Amino acid sequence: MIRVKLKSWTASFRYPTFQSGYQPTLPVPPLSTIQGLLSAAKGEIVSFSEVPFVGYVFISEGKGVDLERIYALGKPETDVMKREVLFNNTLYLYLPDEWEKYFRKPRFQLLLGRSSDIATVEEIKQIELEKCENVLVGGTIVPVSAGLPGIIHALPVEFDYSTVPRKAKFVKPFTILPFPKTKGQKKRQTYKGILPYDSEIGIGVWTYEGLYGKV
Amino acid sequence: MRFAVGMVLIDAPHSALNMLGIDESLPDRNVTRVKKFRKGGKSYPYVSPQAWRYWWRRTLAEQFKWELSPLFREQKQVFTAANPIGYPDDDVFGYMRAFKKGNINITVTRVSPLKNTPLISLLPDRSSVTVDEGYASRHEGDPVPYSQEFYSTVLKGAFSLDLDAVGRFTIIDKAGFKNLLREEEIPKSLKEVKSEYEKIVSEAKRLSVQMSEKEWLMPSEIRKKRASETIKALRYIFGGAKQTQYLTDVTPKFVVLAMFDGGINPLIGNIVYEDKGGIKFDAEALVSRILEFKELLNPKKVFIGKDKGFMKEWEEELKKVKEALEKEEIEVEITTVGDAIEKFAKEVESYYG
């Protein structure tokens, strides 16, 4: 498999349930953002049903709040909304080898959220992940059935772009696990089962294989 | 597919270009803060991406006589004309015009070919931000105290312009790709939309736009003009808050510009960085980032512009960049900011033949 390392100055991942004055960001991207990245790189809408496996680890160094002028429904005057933005980010994508060519020469600009969140490909390398037991996971989302404690949220897996505007095709509950930095997080976010382990970053990679041929 | 990408530095020696508003957490509620990102124990001032875009759009109107797309307000929403044939800013900056009446959905969206990051301070707040204590008084009555943050720093920003997408409008039933409507899908009952659309079509015919079922392509002269003026506007860009009091020149003082056959911007990284309160340039980082994507660099040229008075000590480092890249047969032009932008805009033009 290959590991694509993306970096960006900013990133923002929409919290699906918030609609009003404050728009927080999820600490890690949902799968639909990964779908967006794969699609931008390949130049056409990609479905996970075509991708045999995918895993990712997202690390952010900080956060800030931005103000945005919006035009709210049913109100003649403009409003100012607060939006959270993640700062100095790294995203590792674990993908089948054939994805190297798309990330070497992406068809569209790669974005970690909105159009201002331009990402750059810093490295693409061949990597073998060793399977280990009792590994730390984080910087990703895992199915609730993994049994790890964390915030549970219904998140879009994939969007259907055949309608305008796009619609979420498939929404499932996931446990959101930020990249573990503190001792407490490390203790909580240890997965008892077996997972591929990236020893360079020191993290287990939750790999989605079950989506292949299914979404 | 080709992308014109760049990295810019804006010198902000005394500025408050984008404010967050009053800090409500203080009992006095009289301190106005600048926008900041937090990282570890430090904070970094920044300017919103949408603010920079706004300056960019205004500059195109003022300096290049772009007729900006008007804002329409319908009962519940506001949007631009969504007419990329008539309005160059709709073309370059994208749009979404959601339109639904009853069961009829005729929404159009266009992904912006021009993407930009925020402008982020290289120095953390503790070595760049100060609070100015002010008093509002006119000799009568008690003076009113107020405080306002401002900074002294260098801001970094990056952008990417999809040259292939400028002047090319797709009519595919996919979100972001349905830039225009098909005439037959506009119901007769929506007379206004229909006549508005007829105007777009006749304008497109007048300009000899190539119109096929799935795509409209503007003549290359128009695409060339729109793309190169977008780049040239960087040289004259103006805007920002508090200009009355701080008068910040937001034209870049340092630029690195190149074109790549892929949606990447290798210049987003740590080519310039903070070191003990100073701002340093990493020649090796720039060289390695360019070499990493050498095969996509097209033409094999990198334009570096620096204002003479800005960071004099970088000149030696820049020579190293030139030497290292020219060994790899990549031409490096080191010149003033204005000249670099003009020459780069010429390269952008040549993409359109």
Side-chain angles (χ1 to χ4, degrees):
Chain A
M1 76 170 81
I2 55 160
R3 188 183 73 191
V4 181
K5 182 183 183 188
L6 296 165
K7 282 212 140 194
S8 81
W9 290 337
T10 56
S12 52
F13 310 115
R14 191 175 172 273
Y15 230 105
T17 47
F18 276 78
Q19 290 288 342
S20 68
Y22 192 74
Q23 181 70 65
T25 173
L26 292 168
V28 300
L31 276 162
S32 56
T33 302
I34 308 300
Q35 183 205 7
L37 274 171
L38 299 181
S39 304
K42 196 175 178 187
E44 57 186 74
I45 306 294
V46 172
S47 165
F48 285 119
S49 60
E50 309 155 34
V51 187
F53 66 87
V54 62
Y56 62 95
V57 173
F58 177 82
I59 307 165
S60 174
E61 289 178 23
K63 214 193 255 187
V65 175
D66 195 7
L67 296 181
E68 231 176 50
R69 180 188 296 193
I70 55 156
Y71 299 90
L73 289 177
K75 268 173 85 177
E77 67 277 10
T78 60
D79 234 332
V80 173
M81 197 185 67
K82 288 184 176 171
R83 179 190 293 280
E84 266 187 354
V85 178
L86 298 166
F87 181 43
N88 274 17
N89 314 295
T90 309
L91 175 67
Y92 294 96
L93 290 173
Y94 300 82
L95 290 163
D97 290 354
E98 69 256 27
W99 280 88
E100 174 159 2
K101 61 177 184 286
Y102 302 125
F103 278 96
R104 283 257 170 245
K105 191 176 178 176
R107 174 59 193 88
F108 295 110
Q109 294 113 326
L110 305 176
L111 305 171
L112 293 185
R114 310 184 340 128
S115 67
S116 53
D117 307 321
I118 311 177
T120 184
V121 180
E122 200 166 85
E123 182 193 67
I124 301 174
K125 71 188 251 185
Q126 283 285 336
I127 192 165
E128 286 307 320
L129 299 183
E130 205 186 320
K131 295 221 166 165
C132 292
E133 218 174 326
N134 286 323
V135 285
L136 202 56
V137 279
T140 192
I141 60 171
V142 298
V144 176
S145 59
L148 286 161
I151 297 167
I152 295 173
H153 223 293
L155 296 172
V157 175
E158 216 171 275
F159 275 101
D160 180 2
Y161 287 82
S162 67
T163 59
V164 183
R166 64 179 191 181
K167 278 197 188 113
K169 181 154 75 179
F170 184 38
V171 178
K172 271 180 75 171
F174 290 95
T175 309
I176 298 166
L177 300 175
F179 191 79
K181 285 175 183 161
T182 63
K183 260 190 182 166
Q185 274 175 320
K186 286 181 183 168
K187 207 172 161 188
R188 284 194 300 274
Q189 293 181 201
T190 302
Y191 179 63
K192 299 276 185 293
I194 295 170
L195 267 192
Y197 181 72
D198 188 334
S199 56
E200 241 176 78
I201 314 170
I203 196 90
V205 180
W206 194 277
T207 317
Y208 286 91
E209 291 176 0
L211 301 171
Y212 187 44
K214 280 189 187 161
V215 180
Chain B
M1 111 176 90
R2 198 167 299 171
F3 296 82
V5 305
M7 195 271 287
V8 306
L9 296 184
I10 288 168
D11 192 19
H14 36 70
S15 324
L17 293 166
N18 202 202
M19 310 298 287
L20 187 66
I22 293 200
D23 189 343
E24 299 285 348
S25 67
L26 299 174
D28 289 350
R29 299 209 177 142
N30 67 350
V31 182
T32 312
R33 300 231 182 263
V34 294
K35 290 182 176 176
K36 283 176 223 137
F37 286 128
R38 218 172 51 242
K39 184 178 113 181
K42 296 175 185 170
S43 287
Y44 293 79
Y46 74 91
V47 173
S48 293
Q50 61 271 23
W52 194 24
R53 272 176 101 69
Y54 178 77
W55 308 347
W56 209 323
R57 208 190 270 243
R58 292 296 320 162
T59 304
L60 282 159
E62 301 275 339
Q63 299 289 333
F64 296 91
K65 306 282 170 278
W66 280 25
E67 193 189 336
L68 298 187
S69 185
L71 285 178
F72 289 103
R73 182 181 291 280
E74 291 199 356
Q75 209 176 9
K76 285 181 173 175
Q77 281 166 311
V78 67
F79 27 70
T80 67
N83 171 4
I85 300 290
Y87 301 106
D89 65 320
D90 268 349
D91 179 355
V92 171
F93 292 83
Y95 50 80
M96 171 156 183
R97 184 171 185 168
F99 195 100
K100 207 169 185 181
K101 257 189 190 160
N103 280 334
I104 308 153
N105 179 8
I106 43 171
T107 297
V108 285
T109 56
R110 173 164 171 81
V111 176
S112 173
L114 176 68
K115 298 183 175 66
N116 64 269
T117 65
L119 301 168
I120 307 167
S121 169
L122 285 160
L123 301 177
D125 63 344
R126 65 177 176 221
S127 43
S128 63
V129 176
T130 185
V131 181
D132 176 49
E133 311 281 347
Y135 293 91
S137 90
R138 281 273 164 85
H139 307 301
E140 284 167 34
D142 295 327
V144 179
Y146 68 93
S147 305
Q148 147 189 319
E149 277 188 342
F150 73 106
Y151 41 74
S152 175
T153 187
V154 170
L155 304 164
K156 63 174 179 183
F159 68 89
S160 170
L161 177 65
D162 184 340
L163 299 182
D164 209 37
V166 176
R168 182 191 293 275
F169 315 115
T170 50
I171 315 175
I172 301 167
D173 289 324
K174 274 183 186 169
F177 292 92
K178 184 152 177 133
N179 298 164
L180 294 163
L181 297 171
R182 287 190 188 84
E183 247 177 316
E184 66 273 13
E185 69 192 334
I186 307 167
K188 283 204 180 80
S189 57
L190 300 173
K191 271 191 194 130
E192 262 176 49
V193 180
K194 200 136 191 134
S195 80
E196 203 182 291
Y197 203 71
E198 275 159 10
K199 272 185 208 151
I200 296 179
V201 171
S202 73
E203 178 70 1
K205 282 182 184 151
R206 193 182 67 80
L207 294 170
S208 10
V209 173
Q210 287 175 41
M211 296 154 80
S212 68
E213 201 194 324
K214 289 202 165 156
E215 184 178 286
W216 288 15
L217 188 64
M218 292 200 87
S220 55
E221 277 309 308
I222 295 178
R223 300 176 72 203
K224 184 190 276 188
K225 186 166 182 287
R226 289 181 178 181
S228 72
E229 287 180 350
T230 303
I231 299 294
K232 284 181 195 165
L234 266 179
R235 187 180 173 180
Y236 307 106
I237 207 156
F238 68 93
K242 304 273 171 199
Q243 288 291 23
T244 318
Q245 290 165 60
Y246 298 118
L247 192 60
T248 311
D249 172 15
V250 297
T251 61
K253 293 293 177 291
F254 180 79
V255 291
V256 183
L257 304 160
M259 300 210 298
F260 291 91
D261 285 331
I264 48 154
N265 184 343
L267 307 169
I268 295 173
N270 293 321
I271 294 161
V272 281
Y273 63 100
E274 187 240 341
D275 183 40
K276 294 176 195 127
I279 292 165
K280 296 276 157 44
F281 173 74
D282 188 344
E284 273 175 40
L286 176 57
V287 170
S288 77
R289 296 298 287 141
I290 299 279
L291 291 182
E292 176 78 28
F293 295 97
K294 190 186 164 192
E295 73 275 23
L296 298 186
L297 183 69
N298 187 8
K300 298 266 181 279
K301 274 186 194 170
V302 177
F303 298 86
I304 301 175
K306 191 177 88 58
D307 198 274
K308 276 276 175 251
F310 181 74
M311 303 288 173
K312 283 202 160 56
E313 64 277 17
W314 290 7
E315 272 153 33
E316 281 307 305
E317 292 292 301
L318 289 174
K319 278 183 198 153
K320 284 186 206 160
V321 172
K322 190 174 165 79
E323 265 171 42
L325 288 179
E326 293 197 330
K327 248 184 233 162
E328 303 283 335
E329 281 157 19
I330 295 169
E331 202 182 307
V332 179
E333 179 114 35
I334 298 172
T335 174
T336 62
V337 171
D339 192 45
I341 291 171
E342 288 299 320
K343 284 183 171 147
F344 185 60
K346 278 256 156 12
E347 289 297 339
V348 167
E349 284 182 2
S350 66
Y351 173 71
Y352 298 100

